[in-house]
Amino acid sequence: MPRLRDLQTAFVRSLRDPDDAIALAAIGLLDDAADPGIPATARIGIHRNTHIGTLTTALRQTFPAVEALVGVDFFETAIALFVQERPPRAAGLNDYGCHAQADGAATTGPGFPAFLARLPATASLPYLPDVARLEAAIAAAAQAPDAGSLTPQALAGLGDAAADHALTPHPSLRLVTVTGPIEILWRAVLDHDDATLRSLALPGNRRGLLVYRATAGVTINALDPAQTDFAARLCGGQPLRTILDDATPAALLTLFAELLAAGCFTATRPLAIEMPS
Amino acid sequence: MSNLSACSGGWPGTIPASAGIGLRFPHHRDVIETRPAVGWLEVHTENYTGGGNPAACLEAVRADYPLSLHGVGMSLGSADGLDADHLARVRDAVRRFEPALVSDHLSWSLGDGLYVADLLPLPLTEEALAVVCRNVERFQDGLGRQILVENPSSYLRYRHSTIPEAEFLGAVVAATGCGLLCDVNNIFVSACNHGWDAMHYLDTIPAAAVQEIHLAGHAIRTINGRDIRIDDHGSAVSDPVWTLFSAAIQRFGRIPTLIEWDNNLPALDILVAEAAKADAILAAAPQHTSERERHAAFA
């Protein structure tokens, strides 16, 4: 009699690959005699359909614009390959495929956007991984833990000491660096706005998309390169003295005020001051 | 047996012995704005372990409706034990939303280090029984409260199973003090697929442990000229399942009863009408809950 762990290993492998030799052992465990007429392979196939169907639904809900851009057939083919390469390892599929692509890295990492970027067939759609990274950031922002907001008054209350503090970003905050007006493309695809799609100039220039969850829902704030670098430093744990000074351009100060008012930061934390040795 | 006596009671509210509906994302706004006349709501726990809009909606509705958290990811049958991170997420959700009931399935979803996103069948052996009891105890200890275990729907059986499923559930109850979630549609589906006697199944599970009933629709597929019933939660409750439901509550008394509908989700009023149908049947059932109350208090 097989141990339960061995049976479960074989069953999982049979779901992922019907031809797996170990998986065939699991099929041998099924009681065809008790339930005649439908072979064991077909019964496991019912579970295989649910397995792939549930994962497909999860990715479809997270990446609707990607699906619209590539079409249903290609999307489902890509998902089947992705599930083979990067199956989920824990329950909870709301962030499946979203990991490690919302950090500004272009095509590395295990998420679905990086996977799409490596597919030769997507080479003709250079904006596709950026759209996927934006959708991953949106999904991550939508379900990030709740947290309180740092108020402008609380920051002002620190006085001059604020210079030696860093800001803690809200758990929903993501900064995605993309090429071109990806957020406009994304919205137009979802809205079936063909006029906007025809008017878009792609690939375009580098820009940052600051994605965060405000009270009204997930917000996308498009930033120029200077704003992108500024936002990256605000979110990067550096002391405010190195980010804000008398020479900070007014446009960046305005952006800072907007982000603070929108609840993009939850707290300040004091940084140790290096003492001369 | 887990010693949960210090933890029982004190949870806000109880689920009334009436019909509730499974709340899914597309119905959030409708439920908040129209406050439909259903007795209670149940959600899939895994959809509410984060923050943001889903959690805010659940906070809004739980002020007016008793709540049940129904998990699909604890994998109570995994030989490798429970996922500590997932247990912590569920524990945090239970602390936040204070549900009157918490449940998961007699099945497994984690194996070979992967999560397969399906409720897979267990071989019904002494080894599997020990695994499930250990995992249920860890789940209950982690939450500090009793959980309900739901009977699965089944499309296949293993050669080396030795314990009938209804007896297996009874043994889990006896060993862990958990309660049961009796899915009447699952009993019907499995009984049809395997030639089981559904009435015997109802008579075999420990009636006093049953604290919730699930009703749902299922599909019929034909493979090699033979019908097999699939628990897809994609349609209205079928007539034979309504009949089996009536028989179930004759045995169990009036039990909180949930209408589950996950795929091809209809308008909210269709779900509410299904719940009203269940309520009409519940109203005709005997009210003999004292033994069940003792079981819940004992747990």
Side-chain angles (χ1 to χ4, degrees), chain B residues 19 237-239 242 245 259 271-282:
Chain B
V237 179
S238 67
D239 286 341
W242 283 118
F245 171 56
I259 303 296
L271 274 184
V272 174
E274 288 275 279
K277 192 171 175 180
D279 267 330
I281 296 171
L282 282 168

Side-chain angles (χ1 to χ4, degrees), chain A residues 1 4-5 8 11 13 16 28-31 34-35 37 39 43 47 50-51 54 88-91 143-144 146 213, chain B residues 46 50-52 73 77 79-80 96 108 112-118 120 127 155 157-160 193-194 224 226:
Chain A
M1 188 171 76
L4 182 60
R5 178 176 288 106
Q8 291 178 334
F11 202 119
R13 292 181 185 182
R16 291 171 51 71
L29 296 172
L30 303 184
D31 196 342
D35 295 312
R43 294 178 183 277
H47 288 291
T50 303
H51 163 68
T54 305
R89 298 191 175 274
Q143 63 195 296
D146 293 326
R213 191 177 72 230
Chain B
E46 285 75 10
D80 290 330
R96 176 170 184 178
W108 61 280
D112 202 22
L114 305 179
Y115 174 68
V116 297
D118 191 11
L120 297 177
E127 184 202 8
Y155 317 121
R157 286 188 277 181
Y158 300 95
R159 291 184 205 279
H160 58 301
N193 289 343
H194 302 314
N224 287 0
R226 289 185 182 253

